[in-house]
Amino acid sequence: MEDEGQLNGVSEVMDLLHINVETDDGDVRAGRDDESYSRNVLRKQQHWEKRLAAKKSKRKEEKQRRKEEKQRRKLHRGSTDRPQFTKRVLKAITRERLAEARSIGNKLCVDLSMTDRMSDKEISRLAAQLRRLYGSNKKATHPFHLFLTDLTEDGRLHRECVRMNDGFLNYTMEITEESCLDLFPPETVVYLTPDAEEALETVDADKVYVLGGLVDESIQKKLSLSRARELSVRTARLPVDEYMVKRNNVKNFHSKILAVNQVFDILVTFCDTGSWTEALRTWFPPGKGYVVAPGDLPALPATRTRREV
């Protein structure tokens, strides 16, 4: 009887094991049905996580670079040795400098004749770039005399500038519907475009520099160069090829196309330092795939400004 009970017990255990094995096999088969779907989801998730990590790393690098450049500019300008002024006094000094620039500052136009080629989103981005450009000019040691040309009062860009930029109508600059050739002789005009053959060597007080006011997300090639040829004026480009080299990156992306405020910041820094190396190192965006060439390149003396004549 005891042996018979043991046999019955073993049989029951085997039955249970048989059931569990069948259940496990069923789970495996169900898992296999979803295997291809799970792989796709996992692959997409891993790809998204890699992109997110890359963006975070890029933002961190950019933040660190800006912090370092801010400290470098602070040391260069000797701001720690300057007397501390109240905001009211600083505003008065800024207004005085900008007013003086209208008489003796280097002249720079932003050609806004190409806005009909831009979407509403691109118009908004250009309005923001113009705000940054004006902000940089206010902070400059030697501000430019600024002109916004071909800006129609009833146009989309004018309305967007008024909407987005506080005090736009009171900016200390010239805002006109006329073109740069209505204001200045053609022989004095230099149109800055990344597609020009000639590299800009210095900023001449007797010249009028023109930036193409264009945001083009569809990448229509050589629009600013075509506009310069239409005006039959001299063209020049920033000396990127002369002072910078391509940097290897994952996307193998390299571009010399900059926003108007970025080009302006480079020009202002060059006028302050006489060094293209310093200007390009400080303001050329690292995401464009270029870095300043290794080695200390000599600073170029900037042409005399009207203040020095």
Side-chain angles (χ1 to χ4, degrees):
M1 290 296 291
E2 184 177 351
D3 292 341
E4 185 177 344
Q6 289 178 347
L7 289 174
N8 290 335
V10 170
S11 177
E12 289 177 0
V13 170
M14 292 301 294
D15 289 341
L16 289 173
L17 289 174
H18 180 67
I19 292 172
N20 287 340
V21 168
E22 287 182 346
T23 302
D24 290 343
D25 287 344
D27 291 341
V28 170
R29 283 195 299 271
R32 285 174 179 171
D33 291 339
D34 296 333
E35 185 175 356
S36 61
Y37 173 78
S38 299
R39 285 179 179 175
N40 288 335
V41 171
L42 180 60
R43 190 182 299 112
K44 289 180 180 179
Q45 182 177 353
Q46 290 174 340
H47 177 68
W48 180 82
E49 288 175 349
K50 286 181 180 179
R51 289 186 61 186
L52 184 62
K55 286 183 178 179
K56 287 183 177 179
S57 176
K58 185 178 179 180
R59 282 197 297 266
K60 185 177 180 180
E61 290 177 2
E62 178 67 12
K63 185 176 180 180
Q64 181 63 25
R65 185 189 72 85
R66 289 182 182 277
K67 182 178 179 180
E68 291 174 357
E69 295 304 336
K70 184 177 180 181
Q71 295 228 342
R72 185 184 293 117
R73 291 196 300 272
K74 185 177 180 181
L75 290 173
H76 174 75
R77 294 173 181 173
S79 57
T80 54
D81 297 331
R82 292 182 180 180
Q84 297 297 314
F85 297 113
T86 64
K87 289 184 178 180
R88 184 175 180 180
V89 172
L90 288 174
K91 286 183 178 180
I93 293 173
T94 298
R95 283 196 300 268
E96 183 178 345
R97 264 205 308 259
L98 293 175
E100 185 181 34
R102 280 178 151 170
S103 302
I104 61 175
N106 294 320
K107 291 180 171 59
L108 183 134
C109 299
V110 182
D111 176 15
L112 301 172
S113 64
M114 296 175 279
T115 54
D116 59 334
R117 299 172 182 263
M118 290 186 275
S119 66
D120 289 342
K121 180 181 177 182
E122 292 167 339
I123 289 288
S124 294
R125 288 183 59 190
L126 180 56
Q129 291 175 14
L130 293 177
R131 180 180 66 244
R132 297 188 192 105
L133 185 152
Y134 181 68
S136 294
N137 202 45
K138 287 171 63 178
K139 297 175 184 177
T141 305
H142 303 296
F144 278 73
H145 184 187
L146 297 179
F147 297 78
L148 301 186
T149 62
D150 296 276
L151 182 58
T152 55
E153 190 172 342
D154 59 347
R156 288 183 300 158
L157 180 59
H158 190 279
R159 289 196 298 270
E160 194 68 358
C161 284
V162 172
R163 184 186 72 84
M164 290 180 58
N165 306 338
D166 292 339
F168 173 74
L169 297 178
N170 295 320
Y171 279 7
T172 308
M173 61 167 63
E174 317 306 327
I175 301 175
T176 176
E177 296 187 4
E178 296 181 296
S179 75
C180 57
L181 292 189
D182 293 326
L183 303 173
F184 306 104
E187 62 271 16
T188 67
V189 174
V190 180
Y191 207 112
L192 299 181
T193 167
D195 300 305
E197 294 183 4
E198 177 187 353
L200 185 66
E201 294 183 1
T202 191
V203 176
D204 192 334
D206 295 324
K207 300 297 182 182
V208 179
Y209 296 91
V210 180
L211 306 181
L214 180 68
V215 174
D216 179 24
E217 295 182 344
S218 63
I219 314 298
Q220 303 175 62
K221 293 185 177 180
K222 300 185 178 181
L223 285 180
S224 57
L225 181 61
S226 298
R227 172 60 175 163
R229 287 174 175 169
E230 178 185 326
L231 297 173
S232 299
V233 297
R234 175 190 163 195
T235 59
R237 57 175 172 79
L238 293 176
V240 176
D241 293 335
E242 288 71 18
Y243 289 88
M244 307 189 81
V245 294
K246 290 182 178 180
R247 180 183 63 180
N248 293 330
N249 56 71
V250 177
K251 296 182 179 179
N252 194 29
F253 174 75
H254 303 91
S255 175
K256 303 171 190 173
I257 300 174
L258 305 180
V260 290
N261 59 295
Q262 292 170 337
V263 178
F264 181 76
D265 285 333
I266 291 171
L267 292 176
V268 167
T269 302
F270 172 73
C271 289
D272 284 346
T273 65
S275 170
W276 284 117
T277 300
E278 181 69 17
L280 292 167
R281 179 188 292 118
T282 304
W283 295 110
F284 200 94
K288 295 291 184 177
Y290 285 86
V291 293
V292 170
D296 295 328
L297 296 174
L300 294 177
T303 300
R304 292 181 303 169
T305 65
R306 298 181 189 278
R307 183 177 284 102
E308 299 168 324
V309 174

